[in-house]
Amino acid sequence: MENIIEFKNVNKWFGKLHVLKDINLQIPKGEILVICGPSGSGKSTLIRCINRLEDIQKGEIIVNKIPVHDKSASLTRLRADIGFVFQQFHLYPHMTVLQNIMLAPVQVKKMDKAKAETIAMEKLDRVGLAEKSGAYPAQLSGGQQQRVAIARGLAMSPEIMLFDEPTSALDPEMIGEVLDVMVNLVSEGMTMCVVTHEMGFAKKVAHRVLFMDEGKIIETGTPSDFFDHPKTDRAASFISMILTH
Amino acid sequence: MMAFYFSRLVEIFPFFLKGLWMTSKVAFISLVTCTLLGFILGIFRSGKNKIVKRVIGFYVAFVRGTPFVVQVFIIFFILPEWGMQLKAFPAALLAMGIMGSAFICEIVAGGISSISKGQWEAAAASGLNLVQQLRWVILPQAMKVILPPLVGQYVLLIKDTSVVSVIGVMELTRVGWVTVVRIPEGLMVFSLVGALYFVISYPLILLSNYLEQKMAV
Ligand SMILES: Nc1ncnc2c1ncn2[C@@H]1O[C@H](COP(=O)(O)OP(=O)(O)O)[C@@H](O)[C@H]1O
Ligand SMILES: [Mg+2]
């Protein structure tokens, strides 16, 4: 299968801090990839490099045939095909739910408003919040806000969806509704990279789990291999830590 | 005697209205210019280019660190030295524009920096370019922070137009000076001048208070 995302010897520094060390990674089209690892290991940085929310200093990243490391790459074209869901939602507080979702299609794709609204309502329905289209983010619960953020990410009908710990900022009782929405997306055939420690989600839908520590990919494997038979001590101690949490 | 002067004052009241008109003209043109320029500068000041930020920072510091009356004189006297003949009115507008835009720049930059990095990132991640990010996501939110002090700044700028009387612009304050030579009732004359300034600035003060209350919730 063709790789939709490819990292070749990627290195990234924040000042003197070396946060990504020689990352090599191929993600085939349609793969559901779960990324886990201790806090500070570089997971967020890794997926933020995919849509160039972060620049890299060495190596190559190819996404959808676009050389992302190339300073002259068109960010608009790159990002139009990638949905990104943040840990803290980052909905636009001054816009209604519907306006949040319609903004990019109307401004970036120059879609006419009526069509954008139809699509937005479709995506909102997809996350089960059609009745909240006129609400403002502040009127929604955390779980609802994150579902709207997912709908916003889907609005451009992207080939790739990136999730950076989408349930970590939620109260425990709201995690399930967000994970359910994400599970539902799997059948659409999008490529998904999900930074999460939700083992249940990983086991249910992930094709592959990637474990990071200190800026390196330490091991990869199928969810059952990784969680039940980790190859490295570091992975084993990490898994036992999330199990006792 | 008082009554006599008062009737003289009433007689030359149209002269005051002319001054008021000139003050309004200087104020209006410079508020519009200062706002446009201040927003552009403020946006660049909160941007990523370090050199641009430094240059604007120095410009703002210079304006804040020197008396406005001195700035007015510099512009009025230095430009002819450089071969540019500037009349009092355009010189006044230029001085107001330079001074006001520096203060508005700081207000705008402060408002923009109050918006979290996550808002920029969410907008960028969805494919919006920088101008679109500002136009649709950042500025509408920043306006809540910008508006109350901006209107407050407008009041200050209107009052500062009185300074340009020193280079001979026949606005309200200058009208006061000229009048007091002929009608030596300083208190009466300048009370009238003050009252006329207040007529313009009071609505803005009320607006500023209202906005402050409204934005606070
Ligand atoms: N903008 C930044 N500036 C400086 N250091 C950063 C920045 N973002 C992250 N880091 C550092 O880079 C390392 C990796 O961070 P991150 O990718 O967020 O890890 P994770 O998502 O796995 O917790 C951490 O040590 C973090 O402190
Ligand atoms: Mg992280």
Side-chain angles (χ1 to χ4, degrees):
Chain A
M1 193 114 190
E2 171 198 357
N3 290 324
I4 192 166
I5 299 170
E6 189 158 11
F7 281 63
K8 290 182 195 162
N9 291 313
V10 169
N11 282 274
K12 162 146 191 88
W13 287 264
F14 281 118
K16 284 196 176 131
L17 187 67
H18 198 176
V19 283
L20 294 181
K21 299 171 183 162
D22 279 320
I23 300 290
N24 283 290
L25 174 66
Q26 284 91 36
I27 304 176
K29 217 176 161 107
E31 181 171 67
I32 314 294
L33 177 71
V34 159
I35 302 167
C36 62
S39 168
S41 58
K43 308 177 297 291
S44 298
T45 307
L46 180 88
I47 68 163
R48 288 161 59 90
C49 286
I50 296 174
N51 68 348
R52 221 169 97 191
L53 281 180
E54 302 290 354
D55 282 319
I56 59 169
Q57 280 78 42
K58 245 174 82 185
E60 295 181 9
I61 301 177
I62 318 278
V63 177
N64 250 333
K65 302 199 177 69
I66 300 172
V68 181
H69 53 278
D70 190 340
K71 294 278 173 281
S72 63
S74 159
L75 290 182
T76 304
R77 202 158 68 83
L78 172 77
R79 288 168 175 169
D81 251 340
I82 306 177
F84 198 104
V85 176
F86 298 85
Q87 182 176 345
Q88 305 287 348
F89 333 136
H90 298 322
L91 291 178
Y92 312 131
H94 60 300
M95 294 184 189
T96 64
V97 164
L98 198 62
Q99 290 168 335
N100 263 273
I101 305 174
M102 286 168 60
L103 182 65
V106 170
Q107 296 304 325
V108 181
K109 278 196 178 160
K110 312 290 176 205
M111 197 182 279
D112 70 76
K113 285 232 168 86
K115 184 163 177 225
E117 188 171 334
T118 312
I119 291 179
M121 284 309 297
E122 220 171 83
K123 306 296 178 190
L124 208 47
D125 199 35
R126 197 96 184 75
V127 300
L129 286 172
E131 80 282 5
K132 296 287 186 193
S133 64
Y136 282 88
Q139 297 167 316
L140 305 180
S141 72
Q144 290 171 330
Q145 288 189 51
Q146 192 61 300
R147 283 151 66 195
V148 171
I150 293 173
R152 181 176 66 178
L154 293 171
M156 303 278 275
S157 308
E159 297 223 33
I160 301 168
M161 280 292 285
L162 306 173
F163 297 83
D164 190 4
E165 305 208 34
T167 57
S168 298
L170 298 176
D171 293 337
E173 71 272 17
M174 293 171 185
I175 293 176
E177 60 184 86
V178 172
L179 290 178
D180 286 347
V181 164
M182 291 168 61
V183 169
N184 271 323
L185 294 180
V186 168
S187 62
E188 300 198 354
M190 277 181 300
T191 308
M192 288 171 54
C193 299
V194 186
V195 176
T196 184
H197 296 160
E198 293 296 331
M199 207 189 291
F201 172 80
K203 283 189 166 168
K204 195 161 172 185
V205 299
H207 300 127
R208 188 157 60 127
V209 176
L210 189 150
F211 174 71
M212 287 185 75
D213 195 13
E214 294 178 351
K216 288 193 206 127
I217 298 175
I218 304 294
E219 73 174 86
T220 64
T222 62
S224 56
D225 277 352
F226 175 76
F227 287 114
D228 301 335
H229 312 286
K231 288 177 280 212
T232 59
D233 290 345
R234 274 197 270 187
S237 69
F238 173 75
I239 292 164
S240 70
M241 195 194 75
I242 57 174
L243 278 176
T244 55
H245 253 59
Chain B
M1 218 46 193
M2 272 281 276
F4 170 68
Y5 285 136
F6 186 77
S7 69
R8 286 283 323 265
L9 204 55
V10 171
E11 228 169 87
I12 60 167
F13 187 68
F15 186 37
F16 279 83
L17 286 183
K18 268 192 170 162
L20 180 65
W21 172 238
M22 180 52 101
T23 291
S24 312
K25 222 159 60 172
V26 173
F28 182 77
I29 298 174
S30 52
L31 288 196
V32 173
T33 328
C34 292
T35 305
L36 283 175
L37 216 64
F39 268 82
I40 294 170
L41 288 172
I43 286 166
F44 278 102
R45 180 132 166 83
S46 50
K48 283 205 179 112
N49 190 317
K50 291 228 167 66
I51 299 169
V52 172
K53 286 171 86 152
R54 286 256 174 85
V55 171
I56 298 175
F58 185 77
Y59 166 80
V60 171
F62 180 82
V63 168
R64 291 171 69 157
T66 53
F68 180 50
V69 64
V70 174
Q71 295 165 18
V72 173
F73 279 137
I74 291 176
I75 286 168
F76 191 60
F77 291 118
I78 206 173
L79 290 177
E81 298 277 322
W82 292 348
M84 275 176 275
Q85 274 307 333
L86 211 51
K87 295 222 171 64
F89 181 66
L93 290 183
L94 186 61
M96 286 292 298
I98 288 175
M99 185 269 291
S101 61
F103 284 97
I104 293 179
C105 162
E106 287 301 89
I107 293 172
V108 172
I112 291 177
S113 68
S114 73
I115 306 303
S116 81
K117 205 171 138 228
Q119 290 291 309
W120 289 95
E121 290 187 342
S126 69
L128 270 64
N129 63 33
L130 262 178
V131 174
Q132 293 169 326
Q133 292 166 34
L134 270 164
R135 165 69 184 84
W136 299 105
V137 177
I138 305 302
L139 282 180
Q141 297 182 62
M143 280 319 279
K144 288 201 173 154
V145 182
I146 292 172
L147 224 40
L150 181 65
V151 177
Q153 186 66 45
Y154 285 169
V155 175
L156 294 177
L157 289 176
I158 289 169
K159 291 191 296 181
D160 281 340
T161 58
S162 74
V163 172
V164 304
S165 59
V166 298
I167 54 171
V169 177
M170 198 51 84
E171 43 64 79
L172 258 181
T173 304
R174 181 134 192 114
V175 166
W177 284 18
V178 172
T179 307
V180 92
V181 176
R182 286 183 265 164
I183 306 175
E185 269 299 332
L187 180 60
M188 205 154 82
V189 170
F190 279 99
S191 299
L192 178 58
V193 169
L196 290 174
Y197 275 111
F198 194 61
V199 167
I200 325 183
S201 55
Y202 190 53
L204 281 175
I205 291 173
L206 291 180
L207 178 65
S208 175
N209 291 346
Y210 168 77
L211 288 172
E212 213 147 297
Q213 277 176 6
K214 192 167 167 237
M215 300 307 180
V217 282

